[in-house]
Amino acid sequence: MERIVCLIIGYLFGNFPTGYLYAKAHGVDITKTGSGNIGTTNALRTLGPKAGLITMLGDFIKTFLPLFITAWLFRDKTDMRYLLTVYTGLGAVLGHNYPVSLHFHGGKGVACTGAMIIYSDPVLLAVCFVLFFGGTLLTKYVSVGSLLVAAGYLVTNIVLVISGRKMGWNASEALGAQYHAEFFVLVLLVSALIVFQHRSNIGRLIAGNERKLSFGTKKKQ
């Protein structure tokens, strides 16, 4: 029951379409512009750096809020709180990627996954931060940084749990051994979802025509 509640709360918050609403307020239908995604990268390319920043912050907030709520609701579940964090974060990512309000046409979930990573653990954050910004800056492809995060999120979580390290910013969330297998499947699902949402980017990277990151200005309407 805890798992279902976390998924539902995360999904409901994840439905808030930050990028879409910001673009709409500026007379742009972001679902019909650029890549058609409602996330940070398309907002940046379509409307400029300010739009990208606001979209990213909004997507962070809509992920942080359900994480704090479910952490409070299940504060006594000490041996599975880290597992429930992933369930809540996954719900927010699914809500962002497949929002009911936009007929299940959303984004790629990278910012929401990033918020879950920030909330989860400092070691996980450090690894994914280096992979994302290092990969993006070196290649100029946001998709490469995102795919590296997918790999880093999976591997780092597995290593931390196997090593017996207590998780969280206060290093107090020990994941019960009975939840390890479920946890590994869950983090694999989160990572696989990022890769799946970037399948078109992977195709363009292979073909050599993926669009590089640029800080453009707002398009004239």
Side-chain angles (χ1 to χ4, degrees), residues 17 76 80 94 111 115-116 124 128 166 208:
D76 296 329
M80 67 181 303
L94 290 172
M116 175 170 57
L124 181 64
C128 291
K166 290 186 177 181

Side-chain angles (χ1 to χ4, degrees), residues 35 37 39-42 45 93 96-98 106-114 132 136 141-151 189-207 209-211:
S35 67
N37 290 307
T40 299
T41 302
N42 197 35
R45 288 172 172 165
V93 171
H96 174 79
N97 292 356
Y98 309 107
K108 296 183 178 179
V110 176
C112 294
T113 303
F132 179 77
T136 299
Y141 295 123
V142 177
S143 54
V144 170
S146 301
L147 292 169
L148 287 173
V149 167
L189 180 59
V190 172
S191 296
L193 186 58
I194 295 176
V195 175
F196 177 75
Q197 291 295 95
H198 285 80
R199 60 196 183 278
S200 59
N201 302 84
I202 294 171
R204 289 193 294 270
L205 284 168
I206 294 172
N209 55 13
E210 172 72 326
R211 183 177 177 184

Side-chain angles (χ1 to χ4, degrees), residues 21-205:
L21 292 176
Y22 182 89
K24 202 70 173 175
H26 290 77
V28 177
D29 185 350
I30 199 171
T31 64
K32 298 178 181 178
T33 308
S35 67
N37 290 307
I38 66 171
T40 299
T41 302
N42 197 35
L44 171 65
R45 288 172 172 165
T46 302
L47 293 165
K50 181 181 177 181
L53 179 60
I54 291 175
T55 299
M56 181 180 68
L57 290 176
D59 290 347
F60 274 14
I61 291 170
K62 75 182 185 186
T63 308
F64 283 136
L65 287 176
L67 286 168
F68 282 117
I69 291 171
T70 55
W72 179 81
L73 285 175
F74 302 112
R75 57 193 177 279
D76 296 329
K77 303 284 185 179
T78 55
D79 63 340
M80 67 181 303
R81 273 187 58 189
Y82 195 73
L83 178 71
L84 295 179
T85 291
V86 183
Y87 271 106
T88 305
L90 175 60
V93 171
L94 290 172
H96 174 79
N97 292 356
Y98 309 107
V100 172
S101 56
L102 294 179
H103 308 289
F104 305 103
H105 181 84
K108 296 183 178 179
V110 176
C112 294
T113 303
M116 175 170 57
I117 290 170
I118 292 171
Y119 178 89
S120 298
D121 185 85
V123 173
L124 181 64
L125 171 60
V127 171
C128 291
F129 181 91
V130 171
L131 288 173
F132 179 77
F133 287 101
T136 299
L137 292 174
L138 287 173
T139 67
K140 299 297 189 296
Y141 295 123
V142 177
S143 54
V144 170
S146 301
L147 292 169
L148 287 173
V149 167
Y153 177 79
L154 173 64
V155 173
T156 305
N157 266 311
I158 292 175
V159 170
L160 291 177
V161 169
I162 291 177
S163 69
R165 179 183 177 275
K166 290 186 177 181
M167 313 293 282
W169 282 88
N170 57 2
S172 64
E173 298 184 20
L175 185 65
Q178 69 272 30
Y179 302 117
H180 284 188
E182 179 183 1
F183 176 77
F184 295 153
V185 171
L186 198 60
V187 294
L188 174 61
L189 180 59
V190 172
S191 296
L193 186 58
I194 295 176
V195 175
F196 177 75
Q197 291 295 95
H198 285 80
R199 60 196 183 278
S200 59
N201 302 84
I202 294 171
R204 289 193 294 270
L205 284 168

